[in-house]
Amino acid sequence: EVQLVESGGGLVQPGGSLRLSCAASGFTFSSHWMHWVRQAPGKGLVYVSGINVDGSDTRYADSVKGRFTISRDNAKNTLYLQMNSLRPEDTAVYYCVRVNLAYWYFDLWGRGTLVTVSS
Amino acid sequence: EIVLTQSPGTLSLSPGERATLSCRASQSVTGNYLAWFQQKPGQAPRLLIYGASSRATGIPDRFSGSGSGTDFTLTISRLEPEDFAVYYCQQYGNAPRTFGQGTRVEIK
């Protein structure tokens, strides 16, 4: 089955760190750009970060630049998001998203993992 | 960064009615690379439209997209009960990819 499964979310104190993982299955993970999108409770979708097929090109929203690091392990079919210096405003569901090979739109979403930053 | 502004914020309609949702970009969207997503509570977004007007696989033909440049529209020709949800536009022609703030379609 073609799917993305996020894990690693949880409760963390402000200033803390967390690493999210996204396990891909059912498709050739190493062929696709991958991204992270987040959604604060009751709010809209916000782009976070993206990475190219071999990890040599990464993109970040200004709000997370310098604090978050995206990476991937193609041998393990896994995408990561290392989140440091977390703030209460980082509280959100984090979705892992695949980019369509031919047309570049977001064509596959995971179910998301909830990150709560609170003392 | 391209800012996408969706209107209206909330649309109150009855089943069977036509819904027209707008998405306006702060600058021209490269290649008209504009997508529409539907999201229901507790679920991940679902792709409806890509390339401004192409329906994704399995999407009913009551959903249609149009527009180019800076003005885009999602039309639902006749609302079914399962269509009441939040809809987001997203541009993917320019980095960073950005989303509109969403339009809620609610039952009147």
Side-chain angles (χ1 to χ4, degrees):
Chain A
E1 181 186 359
V2 175
Q3 62 177 353
L4 298 168
V5 179
E6 302 92 338
S7 61
L11 175 63
V12 61
Q13 291 189 339
S17 299
L18 213 53
R19 188 177 84 155
L20 305 184
S21 300
C22 170
S25 59
F27 65 96
T28 305
F29 176 73
S30 59
S31 295
H32 293 261
W33 272 78
M34 298 294 297
H35 296 261
W36 291 96
V37 173
R38 69 184 181 185
Q39 186 170 36
K43 303 297 184 182
L45 301 169
V46 176
Y47 178 80
V48 174
S49 184
I51 189 167
N52 71 340
V53 296
D54 64 5
S56 61
D57 186 0
T58 57
R59 311 285 173 88
Y60 298 95
D62 286 345
S63 58
V64 307
K65 205 172 292 184
R67 300 188 299 123
F68 290 11
T69 302
I70 190 172
S71 62
R72 65 192 297 161
D73 186 334
N74 288 340
K76 295 183 178 179
N77 293 330
T78 303
L79 176 72
Y80 302 101
L81 186 68
Q82 177 67 43
M83 305 185 295
N84 298 330
S85 303
L86 282 162
R87 306 166 179 167
E89 55 265 36
D90 295 319
T91 294
V93 173
Y94 284 74
Y95 294 102
C96 169
V97 191
R98 184 183 78 174
V99 171
N100 181 270
L101 278 176
Y103 297 107
W104 292 90
Y105 54 83
F106 286 170
D107 70 349
L108 180 67
W109 295 66
R111 292 189 175 185
T113 186
L114 176 62
V115 173
T116 303
V117 184
S118 174
S119 54
Chain B
E1 154 174 331
I2 294 181
V3 176
L4 299 178
T5 303
Q6 292 186 239
S7 61
T10 302
L11 203 48
S12 298
L13 296 168
S14 300
E17 290 193 294
R18 182 186 187 89
T20 302
L21 287 66
S22 173
C23 176
R24 180 162 291 178
S26 59
Q27 58 187 276
S28 186
V29 176
T30 299
N32 292 326
Y33 288 158
L34 192 288
W36 289 94
F37 295 90
Q38 176 195 69
Q39 189 179 33
K40 297 179 180 179
Q43 296 184 16
R46 171 195 181 197
L47 176 70
L48 301 175
I49 301 288
Y50 65 92
S53 60
S54 297
R55 261 189 307 276
T57 303
I59 302 303
D61 60 8
R62 64 180 181 273
F63 291 92
S64 63
S66 62
S68 64
T70 60
D71 289 299
F72 300 89
T73 301
L74 174 69
T75 302
I76 310 172
S77 59
R78 289 175 54 86
L79 282 164
E80 297 288 340
E82 61 268 26
D83 298 337
F84 292 92
V86 179
Y87 293 82
Y88 296 94
C89 60
Q90 184 216 18
Q91 67 80 23
Y92 53 100
N94 301 71
R97 300 179 179 228
T98 49
F99 292 90
Q101 81 279 18
T103 290
R104 179 179 304 277
V105 178
E106 64 177 26
I107 299 176
K108 188 174 181 180

